[in-house]
Amino acid sequence: MATSVWRRLVACFSSLKFYLTVLCLVATVFVLLQICSFQITQHSLSLPPALLTYLKHQPEQQSENKTAYLVEKLRESVTFLPLKDIRFSNKPLEGHTWFMSSLFDNQTKGEAQYQDFPSDSSKGRLLCLKGVDEHDGSWNYYALAWPEALPTNAILQKGLTFVSYNQYDYGNLWHGLTAAFPFVSWSLRNQCEKPQKWVLYHKGELRYWMGNWLSEILTATYGQEPEIIHFVDVNKPVCFEKAVVMRHNEGGMSRERRLEVFDHLRCKARNYCNISSPETSNPRIGMTLLMRTGARSFKNESAVINVFKRECERVEGCVLSVSYSNNLTFCEQVDLMKKTDVLVSPHGAQLTNLFLMDRNSSVMEFFPKGWLKLAGVGQLVYKWGANWSGMRHEGAWHDPFGETCKFPDTDKRCMSLVYKNAMIGYNETYFGEWARLVLSKVPEHNKGNGSLDVCPQC
């Protein structure tokens, strides 16, 4: 039994020796490999240069490839939507409107509603526009894109661009002015920043021109002619380094802010036309009949002129002028309004000039038959304009006589078929008494009219 135990001990020690030997060999091999690796690292020039370069830049290239991949995916994800969303055609001017309907406006207290890009609300993305359609706004498009991932074939427009939406047009003085008005307000709030370009839309349809009067007032305001972008390739979007969008005209602006902007426009126009206050100590009251030809003109102009001439002659210092706005240049209109204390005119775009008078000047407005019942709020725009610009709207005369409509006089078809472009009669007694009353209040109103000859700095 002792012999058996001894044999087992010998076998155990022999096995332990074997295991120790194997462990020593493994440790030796590991140490040799570490030494070899260290030597290779210390003498890396022994490896082929091309292989070394590949190994060195492999992680960096993987990172760059991943970034490029993500940028390309962002570029592909840019989605263009129709500028005119026909789902809201029954309420095109409400809320977000049917123009760029997926976006909501920003608004500073007392200011017009607006959108600006890039901004926090756009998450730093730029506004991009494409399409060339001048007849259907649903075929023109908009999208937002990050500056690093603009759409394929996109053109980047540098500087500030004003993007205007107008439900009406840019040829009519009033509609054009109310579309441009909020941009001037925005500039005044932003160190008088000037636009490099303009984009004009009417119901989402592109427009490439504006009326001469509007172009002149903007040139006077910004010191440069408005330059309108022309879109020529439907497959080449234009993205804007900086853009401001207005789609509510002057909506949301306080009266105080409107007064400030109209003061600025008036002052800029007078400076642009080199018109200054006359140096005279003699009291002067300027009464101007700003006439129309054709639609909404007076049927008997000479009779109307004689009434106001007679009343003007009864007032010391009163000077009567009779002019037609379509025969006057922009600066001639500015000069005429500077000399006007009482503006007498039929309802029409020429009355837009009323803000160019000194503050507290008076406006007398005339309408054809039918307007009072059927014209709606549109007949009030110059009353509003007078109030917003610091003038006194002295009321309106609606002709009770005129052409008869074949439909009931409450039928809206009568407005478009008969009354809208009808001519205006006159009432000698009423016109005379009205003119006498308005002229009697001019000296009191003209005290400290508050108009500026030196435009305020931004």
Side-chain angles (χ1 to χ4, degrees):
M1 183 174 180
T3 303
S4 175
V5 171
W6 174 253
R7 286 178 179 174
R8 288 178 181 176
L9 289 172
V10 171
C12 180
F13 281 116
S14 298
S15 176
L16 180 62
K17 183 177 179 181
F18 173 76
Y19 288 131
L20 290 173
T21 301
V22 171
L23 181 61
C24 289
L25 286 172
V26 171
T28 302
V29 171
F30 178 76
V31 171
L32 289 174
L33 287 173
Q34 291 297 316
I35 293 172
C36 181
S37 174
F38 177 77
Q39 288 177 339
I40 289 174
T41 303
Q42 292 296 310
H43 301 86
S44 58
L45 291 176
S46 62
L47 292 175
L51 179 59
L52 285 171
T53 301
Y54 174 79
L55 293 174
K56 179 179 180 182
H57 293 290
Q58 184 67 9
E60 184 178 324
Q61 287 178 349
Q62 290 178 352
S63 176
E64 290 178 355
N65 289 340
K66 186 176 182 180
T67 300
Y69 173 81
L70 292 175
V71 168
E72 188 59 30
K73 288 300 179 184
L74 286 174
R75 193 188 316 278
E76 293 174 357
S77 70
V78 174
T79 303
F80 280 90
L81 301 174
L83 273 172
K84 186 174 76 171
D85 190 339
I86 59 175
R87 295 177 301 170
F88 303 102
S89 58
N90 62 325
K91 47 182 179 180
L93 301 180
E94 295 181 17
H96 50 66
T97 77
W98 66 349
F99 182 80
M100 296 173 56
S101 63
S102 69
L103 303 177
F104 290 88
D105 297 291
N106 303 312
Q107 187 172 21
T108 303
K109 184 177 180 180
E111 291 287 349
Q113 300 174 67
Y114 70 97
Q115 298 175 37
D116 59 336
F117 306 91
S119 61
D120 292 340
S121 59
S122 75
K123 296 181 172 60
R125 292 173 292 176
L126 307 185
L127 175 66
C128 300
L129 300 171
K130 75 172 184 177
V132 297
D133 207 291
E134 299 178 46
H135 304 287
D136 187 347
S138 62
W139 288 97
N140 295 322
Y141 303 90
Y142 72 101
L144 300 183
W146 276 275
E148 301 83 4
L150 299 181
T152 303
N153 296 327
I155 300 170
L156 180 62
Q157 175 61 52
K158 295 288 187 178
L160 171 64
T161 301
F162 283 164
V163 180
S164 173
Y165 169 79
N166 193 341
Q167 182 71 4
Y168 303 99
D169 64 73
Y170 298 92
N172 177 281
L173 275 63
W174 177 257
H175 295 316
L177 178 64
T178 53
F181 193 81
F183 290 106
V184 178
S185 180
W186 183 92
S187 292
L188 287 174
R189 198 177 71 249
N190 290 274
Q191 295 77 49
C192 288
E193 189 172 358
K194 301 177 181 179
Q196 276 68 53
K197 303 283 186 178
W198 290 74
V199 179
L200 306 181
Y201 285 107
H202 163 66
K203 298 182 179 180
E205 305 160 8
L206 280 164
R207 293 293 180 265
Y208 294 127
W209 70 279
M210 60 176 65
N212 182 70
W213 186 95
L214 179 59
S215 178
E216 292 264 30
I217 198 72
L218 290 175
T219 301
T221 302
Y222 289 109
Q224 59 191 34
E225 292 185 18
E227 187 173 346
I228 301 170
I229 291 180
H230 284 242
F231 292 77
V232 295
D233 191 335
V234 70
N235 295 314
K236 287 187 176 181
V238 178
C239 299
F240 303 94
E241 182 179 39
K242 185 176 182 180
V244 174
V245 179
M246 300 285 182
R247 55 184 182 176
H248 291 281
N249 291 355
E250 78 295 333
M253 293 180 68
S254 66
R255 181 173 185 267
E256 291 72 21
R257 188 57 173 167
R258 296 174 204 238
L259 285 169
E260 182 181 350
V261 177
F262 273 121
D263 282 348
H264 184 74
L265 289 170
R266 181 189 306 114
C267 189
K268 286 291 187 179
R270 290 179 178 180
N271 286 354
Y272 173 74
C273 296
N274 295 314
I275 297 169
S276 58
S277 298
E279 297 180 2
T280 176
S281 58
N282 296 325
R284 181 188 183 279
I285 297 175
M287 173 176 268
T288 297
L289 271 65
L290 193 57
M291 310 295 269
R292 291 173 60 91
T293 57
R296 295 192 300 283
S297 60
F298 288 110
K299 296 176 183 176
N300 191 337
E301 287 186 349
S302 59
V304 173
I305 292 171
N306 286 335
V307 172
F308 287 96
K309 180 180 178 182
R310 183 184 67 234
E311 297 304 326
C312 185
E313 289 175 345
R314 290 178 177 179
V315 178
E316 183 179 358
C318 183
V319 177
L320 179 70
S321 299
V322 180
S323 297
Y324 294 82
S325 60
N326 59 331
N327 290 334
L328 301 175
T329 66
F330 172 76
C331 282
E332 286 172 343
Q333 292 176 67
V334 176
D335 184 45
L336 178 63
M337 292 299 102
K338 178 69 177 72
K339 300 172 181 175
T340 299
D341 298 294
V342 179
L343 179 61
V344 181
S345 188
H347 177 86
Q350 77 286 345
L351 271 171
T352 306
N353 285 291
L354 65 83
F355 79 89
L356 295 169
M357 298 188 291
D358 286 343
R359 274 206 196 185
N360 291 322
S361 296
S362 296
V363 179
M364 303 171 69
E365 190 174 5
F366 301 80
F367 290 90
K369 175 187 174 181
W371 276 67
L372 185 60
K373 287 184 178 180
L374 298 176
V377 296
Q379 63 188 300
L380 302 177
V381 294
Y382 299 112
K383 181 178 181 179
W384 298 338
N387 177 263
W388 298 340
S389 59
M391 308 302 162
R392 302 178 62 88
H393 192 275
E394 303 286 356
W397 183 76
H398 291 81
D399 193 344
F401 304 107
E403 185 178 347
T404 302
C405 179
K406 64 181 180 180
F407 304 106
D409 61 2
T410 56
D411 192 313
K412 292 183 178 180
R413 289 174 292 181
C414 291
M415 187 65 191
S416 58
L417 294 174
V418 179
Y419 301 144
K420 183 178 180 181
N421 296 321
M423 299 182 75
I424 304 171
Y426 80 103
N427 182 319
E428 182 175 356
T429 302
Y430 183 87
F431 285 10
E433 293 176 352
W434 188 18
R436 202 175 308 133
L437 176 62
V438 172
L439 286 170
S440 69
K441 297 186 290 186
V442 170
E444 180 182 350
H445 294 162
N446 279 355
K447 292 178 181 178
N449 57 44
S451 295
L452 303 172
D453 289 326
V454 179
C455 305
Q457 297 298 315
C458 293

